[in-house]
Amino acid sequence: MTQIQPLFQHQWTRRLLVVAMSAAMSSQVLALQAISDDEMAEATGEGIAFLPESFSMRFNGADDTPSAGHIRLIPVGPLTPTAIASGYEKADIYLYGLSLSQSNQDYGLARTGADWGAPFGRPITSWGTADNPWLLKVETDPNVPNFAGVSNQVSFLELEAPLYRQTPPTAGSAESSAYNLKMGLWADAFMRDAATPENGYDGLSNRLRLSAVWDGFSINGSNLKIFQTLDGVTAANLNQGLSTSYNQTFGMAGLIRLNGGDTQVTRNGLGQFTGGYGAQVVRSAPTLVTPANTNNLPNNSPLVTLTYQPLARPEDGGNYPLANNFNNGDQGRICGTPENGTESAGNANNPGHCLTREGFRNITFSASGTNSWTPPAAKSVLRISTQQFDGSMFGDGTTPALGGPSPNFGPNAPSAEGIFLYGLNVNLVLGSLYQPLVLSSDGANFSMELARIPNNPNVYQRIYQDYSTPSSTTFLGSTCNVYQCGRHPAGTKPEISSNYQASTATHSSISIGSTVYDPATNRLSAYKGIESFGVSFGELQSGTGLASSRSETYKQVFQATRGTSGGNWGAWGNWTQIAETRFNQNSSGQILGIDTNVPVPYTNTLTVPGATVSNNFGSAVIDGLLIQHMKFTTTGLN
Amino acid sequence: MFRSSVGYSEGLQELDEHSLQAVAGQGGADLSLVLRLNHTNTNPNNFDDPLNAQSNCVDFVYCRLAISLNNRNDDGTPTGSPTGKKQWLVFKGIQGSINIQEIKIDGTDVTYGSVIKPAVQLSFDDLKPIKFRNVGFESLSIETDTVANEGAGNLPGYLVPATLYGGVGFDSDKEKGFLGVNMHGNLAIDGTLKIFSCDAGHPRC
């Protein structure tokens, strides 16, 4: 049963009835006149433009408690026996306080705890401009390939957000407010026992609570298309993984652009950080440790590790294992006494293996120091947190929808808890007119599918990129990031193509934090220097006295020789440096081939790498993501 | 039907152009709307009365909203095939009370470039939020017609008899399906929304 009670309130005077009509007319006021059918037939459809100003939205509780209005996802339906056996229960989820407003800080200025710690700021001054409003329009694309590659015409309904400017707007201007949005929401999720009837908190346990605030982002450049999909999937191309459920059904395509703004760093020719979206690192003077070098060491120096000594019995100064008794104690005496050639060196039969010993020395250079690390102004912060103050005792398991108090997620000074994403840019391409998002069902389960790209050049050449030729006219795909999003189609008005980004890209890009951007190839990568930041656990704060060091170990190979004295071996001489080991097997069974690689000239050129604060996880980029095929299906419904 | 604030009623009269020209536009109209879908309206004078906004759906079969997309038959054949039975996405237990307390409607101008365009302006007041009470549906399911191509004797999917899960437990009083959604709260919207036509003279259209 439905009841609608319209209550039109107005003052019954002649003046007011006229307002709506006079607004739609020219300066000469005329009575409304009926348009003949002929005239109506000539009228062409136009788009409808929307321009919200001083706009804000907040879902409050039924008693106007701030941010306590909820959307509940009700867990109807049975669990599978396997799930129950594993101890799973239903998930009862309440999404609270969806709100959209503008940050209290102006565009481009630093956000503080008062910003990312509060879900609601001030109204959005102007969400778009008169030149660049929200649009709802119907357009026709005359050249869309169907799933068999045959070109067709497709009419579609499109909802477009204001376009994204090519150059950033002026801070504080009305137009900049669209790039300075603030979104807040929080959620409670409970485990619900399926066997308990619904009554207040009965059956609920293990409340999971989190809050999310994104301060400083825009959705400019996004759009949503609704249309009827083309045909083309037949028995001929079913084996490509296509489905006849793609043909002539309800289709959608979208471009989701949620951008916090420019996050690139600038570097000089040596790859060193010179500015941009990175921290300020001030280094102390480094401490260099460079061991004294010498090419000559005494023969008993502990610095030298022996790699080779003449093969002899222990009583002859070696450590060669003894063989069985042979020839009256002569066994194992390869270099027993200097006779029968063992006293010679320098020819093929006797290279001096009884007269030489070898070893190496490790030389370690190191550079160490401390630095301070100061993050730059955080222009866009997404905080996901769970810590609360006042309003609700942590873990008491209540929720406002069932009468509990509302939590206060205000940040704890001096260092707030939560996962912080600084400088998040999400540019997600979800399909197109020839790769639609379709909904289907197998009778019980429900699925959402982004159609598989057919193996037909008329289709895939529009989507794939030629990375070596970004301006290719064969492969029309490109990546959408905060700097550009495809090329404007032919015929675009110059006021649009010279001021705003396009919406024709095919690949997605998601970046968090400091990035390196190459405009020639349109590639985005994460900046790997010590100034990088993006993801942190807990609020990112400055640090001082952060220690770091770098070391490099070199090898220096030494050799010592002995002569003979009487019928015995002489004493070993001092160690002298040689370029490489000659006798590459020592008596421990190791085969060592070592080269001297001490730097020439002998100077320590190491640099201190620098350190960042301990909760900084740096930046991340996923660039050039193409959804070739995607399908989400519910399971277990019957 | 219009309610007069003066206490007498008068039929609408056509204004001639001379009278119209003498008119000056002034403050616009206010719009407010109370919508109750399958809900009680025990106390029409107080929207927030706890006796209101309770589901009063007696026959569950007739408290539904169903959508059928083109080319969705149970055997995968296109719409109109002699063997395919139509599939429906059925929102069961649809209900809600919505109170749009006040939206002001005005006329205004929008300027872009050298063009001055007339526009309709909607104004919202966050002190008069749009009230949502138990707006949503109880469960969602896929239902299929009983006869192929909606032939003779077909019972459409959205009229499938209401089957409750029964037994004891959370699902006992709920219709077969998965996932329900319920919205409850006051949506405070503030600001204005200008709506104007976008023709070839506008850069975006």
mmCIF file with all atom_site columns, all heavy atoms in Angstrom, chain B residues 31-44:
data_model
loop_
_atom_site.group_PDB
_atom_site.id
_atom_site.type_symbol
_atom_site.label_atom_id
_atom_site.label_alt_id
_atom_site.label_comp_id
_atom_site.label_asym_id
_atom_site.label_entity_id
_atom_site.label_seq_id
_atom_site.pdbx_PDB_ins_code
_atom_site.Cartn_x
_atom_site.Cartn_y
_atom_site.Cartn_z
_atom_site.occupancy
_atom_site.B_iso_or_equiv
_atom_site.pdbx_formal_charge
_atom_site.auth_seq_id
_atom_site.auth_comp_id
_atom_site.auth_asym_id
_atom_site.auth_atom_id
_atom_site.pdbx_PDB_model_num
ATOM 1   N N   . LEU B 1 31 ? 8.920  23.190 -1.990 1.00 0.00 ? 31 LEU B N   1
ATOM 2   C CA  . LEU B 1 31 ? 8.394  21.860 -2.255 1.00 0.00 ? 31 LEU B CA  1
ATOM 3   C C   . LEU B 1 31 ? 8.647  20.997 -1.042 1.00 0.00 ? 31 LEU B C   1
ATOM 4   O O   . LEU B 1 31 ? 9.757  20.989 -0.508 1.00 0.00 ? 31 LEU B O   1
ATOM 5   C CB  . LEU B 1 31 ? 9.099  21.282 -3.482 1.00 0.00 ? 31 LEU B CB  1
ATOM 6   C CG  . LEU B 1 31 ? 8.765  19.852 -3.864 1.00 0.00 ? 31 LEU B CG  1
ATOM 7   C CD1 . LEU B 1 31 ? 7.365  19.771 -4.416 1.00 0.00 ? 31 LEU B CD1 1
ATOM 8   C CD2 . LEU B 1 31 ? 9.775  19.332 -4.878 1.00 0.00 ? 31 LEU B CD2 1
ATOM 9   N N   . SER B 1 32 ? 7.617  20.307 -0.597 1.00 0.00 ? 32 SER B N   1
ATOM 10  C CA  . SER B 1 32 ? 7.884  19.293 0.411  1.00 0.00 ? 32 SER B CA  1
ATOM 11  C C   . SER B 1 32 ? 7.029  18.080 0.102  1.00 0.00 ? 32 SER B C   1
ATOM 12  O O   . SER B 1 32 ? 5.965  18.191 -0.512 1.00 0.00 ? 32 SER B O   1
ATOM 13  C CB  . SER B 1 32 ? 7.613  19.826 1.826  1.00 0.00 ? 32 SER B CB  1
ATOM 14  O OG  . SER B 1 32 ? 6.247  19.950 2.045  1.00 0.00 ? 32 SER B OG  1
ATOM 15  N N   . LEU B 1 33 ? 7.516  16.945 0.488  1.00 0.00 ? 33 LEU B N   1
ATOM 16  C CA  . LEU B 1 33 ? 6.894  15.688 0.077  1.00 0.00 ? 33 LEU B CA  1
ATOM 17  C C   . LEU B 1 33 ? 7.082  14.655 1.166  1.00 0.00 ? 33 LEU B C   1
ATOM 18  O O   . LEU B 1 33 ? 8.163  14.511 1.713  1.00 0.00 ? 33 LEU B O   1
ATOM 19  C CB  . LEU B 1 33 ? 7.572  15.217 -1.218 1.00 0.00 ? 33 LEU B CB  1
ATOM 20  C CG  . LEU B 1 33 ? 7.234  13.830 -1.748 1.00 0.00 ? 33 LEU B CG  1
ATOM 21  C CD1 . LEU B 1 33 ? 5.837  13.811 -2.305 1.00 0.00 ? 33 LEU B CD1 1
ATOM 22  C CD2 . LEU B 1 33 ? 8.236  13.443 -2.817 1.00 0.00 ? 33 LEU B CD2 1
ATOM 23  N N   . VAL B 1 34 ? 5.995  13.972 1.498  1.00 0.00 ? 34 VAL B N   1
ATOM 24  C CA  . VAL B 1 34 ? 6.102  12.820 2.397  1.00 0.00 ? 34 VAL B CA  1
ATOM 25  C C   . VAL B 1 34 ? 5.709  11.597 1.596  1.00 0.00 ? 34 VAL B C   1
ATOM 26  O O   . VAL B 1 34 ? 4.639  11.575 0.999  1.00 0.00 ? 34 VAL B O   1
ATOM 27  C CB  . VAL B 1 34 ? 5.170  12.969 3.619  1.00 0.00 ? 34 VAL B CB  1
ATOM 28  C CG1 . VAL B 1 34 ? 5.144  11.680 4.428  1.00 0.00 ? 34 VAL B CG1 1
ATOM 29  C CG2 . VAL B 1 34 ? 5.644  14.126 4.504  1.00 0.00 ? 34 VAL B CG2 1
ATOM 30  N N   . LEU B 1 35 ? 6.583  10.631 1.565  1.00 0.00 ? 35 LEU B N   1
ATOM 31  C CA  . LEU B 1 35 ? 6.314  9.402  0.818  1.00 0.00 ? 35 LEU B CA  1
ATOM 32  C C   . LEU B 1 35 ? 6.349  8.231  1.782  1.00 0.00 ? 35 LEU B C   1
ATOM 33  O O   . LEU B 1 35 ? 7.309  8.085  2.533  1.00 0.00 ? 35 LEU B O   1
ATOM 34  C CB  . LEU B 1 35 ? 7.382  9.218  -0.270 1.00 0.00 ? 35 LEU B CB  1
ATOM 35  C CG  . LEU B 1 35 ? 7.444  7.855  -0.959 1.00 0.00 ? 35 LEU B CG  1
ATOM 36  C CD1 . LEU B 1 35 ? 6.236  7.640  -1.837 1.00 0.00 ? 35 LEU B CD1 1
ATOM 37  C CD2 . LEU B 1 35 ? 8.715  7.738  -1.788 1.00 0.00 ? 35 LEU B CD2 1
ATOM 38  N N   . ARG B 1 36 ? 5.310  7.435  1.785  1.00 0.00 ? 36 ARG B N   1
ATOM 39  C CA  . ARG B 1 36 ? 5.312  6.212  2.585  1.00 0.00 ? 36 ARG B CA  1
ATOM 40  C C   . ARG B 1 36 ? 5.029  5.041  1.671  1.00 0.00 ? 36 ARG B C   1
ATOM 41  O O   . ARG B 1 36 ? 4.024  5.023  0.982  1.00 0.00 ? 36 ARG B O   1
ATOM 42  C CB  . ARG B 1 36 ? 4.258  6.281  3.696  1.00 0.00 ? 36 ARG B CB  1
ATOM 43  C CG  . ARG B 1 36 ? 4.571  7.323  4.758  1.00 0.00 ? 36 ARG B CG  1
ATOM 44  C CD  . ARG B 1 36 ? 3.875  6.992  6.079  1.00 0.00 ? 36 ARG B CD  1
ATOM 45  N NE  . ARG B 1 36 ? 3.967  8.104  7.009  1.00 0.00 ? 36 ARG B NE  1
ATOM 46  C CZ  . ARG B 1 36 ? 4.996  8.296  7.836  1.00 0.00 ? 36 ARG B CZ  1
ATOM 47  N NH1 . ARG B 1 36 ? 6.010  7.460  7.816  1.00 0.00 ? 36 ARG B NH1 1
ATOM 48  N NH2 . ARG B 1 36 ? 5.015  9.332  8.650  1.00 0.00 ? 36 ARG B NH2 1
ATOM 49  N N   . LEU B 1 37 ? 5.927  4.118  1.677  1.00 0.00 ? 37 LEU B N   1
ATOM 50  C CA  . LEU B 1 37 ? 5.807  2.932  0.831  1.00 0.00 ? 37 LEU B CA  1
ATOM 51  C C   . LEU B 1 37 ? 5.704  1.729  1.745  1.00 0.00 ? 37 LEU B C   1
ATOM 52  O O   . LEU B 1 37 ? 6.649  1.366  2.432  1.00 0.00 ? 37 LEU B O   1
ATOM 53  C CB  . LEU B 1 37 ? 7.058  2.847  -0.062 1.00 0.00 ? 37 LEU B CB  1
ATOM 54  C CG  . LEU B 1 37 ? 7.133  1.755  -1.107 1.00 0.00 ? 37 LEU B CG  1
ATOM 55  C CD1 . LEU B 1 37 ? 6.015  1.916  -2.118 1.00 0.00 ? 37 LEU B CD1 1
ATOM 56  C CD2 . LEU B 1 37 ? 8.480  1.815  -1.808 1.00 0.00 ? 37 LEU B CD2 1
ATOM 57  N N   . ASN B 1 38 ? 4.532  1.112  1.770  1.00 0.00 ? 38 ASN B N   1
ATOM 58  C CA  . ASN B 1 38 ? 4.297  -0.060 2.616  1.00 0.00 ? 38 ASN B CA  1
ATOM 59  C C   . ASN B 1 38 ? 4.568  0.212  4.089  1.00 0.00 ? 38 ASN B C   1
ATOM 60  O O   . ASN B 1 38 ? 5.028  -0.666 4.824  1.00 0.00 ? 38 ASN B O   1
ATOM 61  C CB  . ASN B 1 38 ? 5.136  -1.269 2.160  1.00 0.00 ? 38 ASN B CB  1
ATOM 62  C CG  . ASN B 1 38 ? 4.773  -1.691 0.757  1.00 0.00 ? 38 ASN B CG  1
ATOM 63  O OD1 . ASN B 1 38 ? 3.636  -1.508 0.327  1.00 0.00 ? 38 ASN B OD1 1
ATOM 64  N ND2 . ASN B 1 38 ? 5.734  -2.235 0.031  1.00 0.00 ? 38 ASN B ND2 1
ATOM 65  N N   . HIS B 1 39 ? 4.290  1.403  4.514  1.00 0.00 ? 39 HIS B N   1
ATOM 66  C CA  . HIS B 1 39 ? 4.514  1.761  5.914  1.00 0.00 ? 39 HIS B CA  1
ATOM 67  C C   . HIS B 1 39 ? 3.235  2.309  6.522  1.00 0.00 ? 39 HIS B C   1
ATOM 68  O O   . HIS B 1 39 ? 2.388  2.880  5.835  1.00 0.00 ? 39 HIS B O   1
ATOM 69  C CB  . HIS B 1 39 ? 5.591  2.859  6.014  1.00 0.00 ? 39 HIS B CB  1
ATOM 70  C CG  . HIS B 1 39 ? 6.968  2.317  6.198  1.00 0.00 ? 39 HIS B CG  1
ATOM 71  N ND1 . HIS B 1 39 ? 8.072  3.135  6.330  1.00 0.00 ? 39 HIS B ND1 1
ATOM 72  C CD2 . HIS B 1 39 ? 7.446  1.048  6.274  1.00 0.00 ? 39 HIS B CD2 1
ATOM 73  C CE1 . HIS B 1 39 ? 9.154  2.397  6.470  1.00 0.00 ? 39 HIS B CE1 1
ATOM 74  N NE2 . HIS B 1 39 ? 8.796  1.134  6.433  1.00 0.00 ? 39 HIS B NE2 1
ATOM 75  N N   . THR B 1 40 ? 3.128  2.189  7.846  1.00 0.00 ? 40 THR B N   1
ATOM 76  C CA  . THR B 1 40 ? 1.980  2.765  8.541  1.00 0.00 ? 40 THR B CA  1
ATOM 77  C C   . THR B 1 40 ? 2.111  4.279  8.567  1.00 0.00 ? 40 THR B C   1
ATOM 78  O O   . THR B 1 40 ? 3.208  4.829  8.519  1.00 0.00 ? 40 THR B O   1
ATOM 79  C CB  . THR B 1 40 ? 1.923  2.269  9.990  1.00 0.00 ? 40 THR B CB  1
ATOM 80  O OG1 . THR B 1 40 ? 3.177  2.587  10.616 1.00 0.00 ? 40 THR B OG1 1
ATOM 81  C CG2 . THR B 1 40 ? 1.698  0.778  10.054 1.00 0.00 ? 40 THR B CG2 1
ATOM 82  N N   . ASN B 1 41 ? 0.968  4.921  8.662  1.00 0.00 ? 41 ASN B N   1
ATOM 83  C CA  . ASN B 1 41 ? 0.934  6.383  8.801  1.00 0.00 ? 41 ASN B CA  1
ATOM 84  C C   . ASN B 1 41 ? -0.041 6.722  9.918  1.00 0.00 ? 41 ASN B C   1
ATOM 85  O O   . ASN B 1 41 ? -0.953 7.524  9.761  1.00 0.00 ? 41 ASN B O   1
ATOM 86  C CB  . ASN B 1 41 ? 0.508  7.013  7.466  1.00 0.00 ? 41 ASN B CB  1
ATOM 87  C CG  . ASN B 1 41 ? 0.728  8.499  7.452  1.00 0.00 ? 41 ASN B CG  1
ATOM 88  O OD1 . ASN B 1 41 ? 1.611  9.002  8.128  1.00 0.00 ? 41 ASN B OD1 1
ATOM 89  N ND2 . ASN B 1 41 ? -0.068 9.211  6.679  1.00 0.00 ? 41 ASN B ND2 1
ATOM 90  N N   . THR B 1 42 ? 0.176  6.053  11.046 1.00 0.00 ? 42 THR B N   1
ATOM 91  C CA  . THR B 1 42 ? -0.772 6.157  12.154 1.00 0.00 ? 42 THR B CA  1
ATOM 92  C C   . THR B 1 42 ? -0.984 7.594  12.600 1.00 0.00 ? 42 THR B C   1
ATOM 93  O O   . THR B 1 42 ? -2.066 7.993  12.958 1.00 0.00 ? 42 THR B O   1
ATOM 94  C CB  . THR B 1 42 ? -0.243 5.330  13.345 1.00 0.00 ? 42 THR B CB  1
ATOM 95  O OG1 . THR B 1 42 ? 0.235  4.093  12.829 1.00 0.00 ? 42 THR B OG1 1
ATOM 96  C CG2 . THR B 1 42 ? -1.325 5.083  14.366 1.00 0.00 ? 42 THR B CG2 1
ATOM 97  N N   . ASN B 1 43 ? 0.099  8.374  12.581 1.00 0.00 ? 43 ASN B N   1
ATOM 98  C CA  . ASN B 1 43 ? 0.004  9.762  13.036 1.00 0.00 ? 43 ASN B CA  1
ATOM 99  C C   . ASN B 1 43 ? 0.491  10.668 11.918 1.00 0.00 ? 43 ASN B C   1
ATOM 100 O O   . ASN B 1 43 ? 1.665  11.003 11.855 1.00 0.00 ? 43 ASN B O   1
ATOM 101 C CB  . ASN B 1 43 ? 0.856  9.939  14.307 1.00 0.00 ? 43 ASN B CB  1
ATOM 102 C CG  . ASN B 1 43 ? 0.714  11.335 14.879 1.00 0.00 ? 43 ASN B CG  1
ATOM 103 O OD1 . ASN B 1 43 ? 0.061  12.205 14.301 1.00 0.00 ? 43 ASN B OD1 1
ATOM 104 N ND2 . ASN B 1 43 ? 1.318  11.558 16.036 1.00 0.00 ? 43 ASN B ND2 1
ATOM 105 N N   . PRO B 1 44 ? -0.412 11.088 11.039 1.00 0.00 ? 44 PRO B N   1
ATOM 106 C CA  . PRO B 1 44 ? 0.027  11.891 9.889  1.00 0.00 ? 44 PRO B CA  1
ATOM 107 C C   . PRO B 1 44 ? 0.582  13.247 10.290 1.00 0.00 ? 44 PRO B C   1
ATOM 108 O O   . PRO B 1 44 ? 1.285  13.879 9.516  1.00 0.00 ? 44 PRO B O   1
ATOM 109 C CB  . PRO B 1 44 ? -1.248 12.066 9.053  1.00 0.00 ? 44 PRO B CB  1
ATOM 110 C CG  . PRO B 1 44 ? -2.244 11.126 9.618  1.00 0.00 ? 44 PRO B CG  1
ATOM 111 C CD  . PRO B 1 44 ? -1.864 10.842 11.023 1.00 0.00 ? 44 PRO B CD  1
#
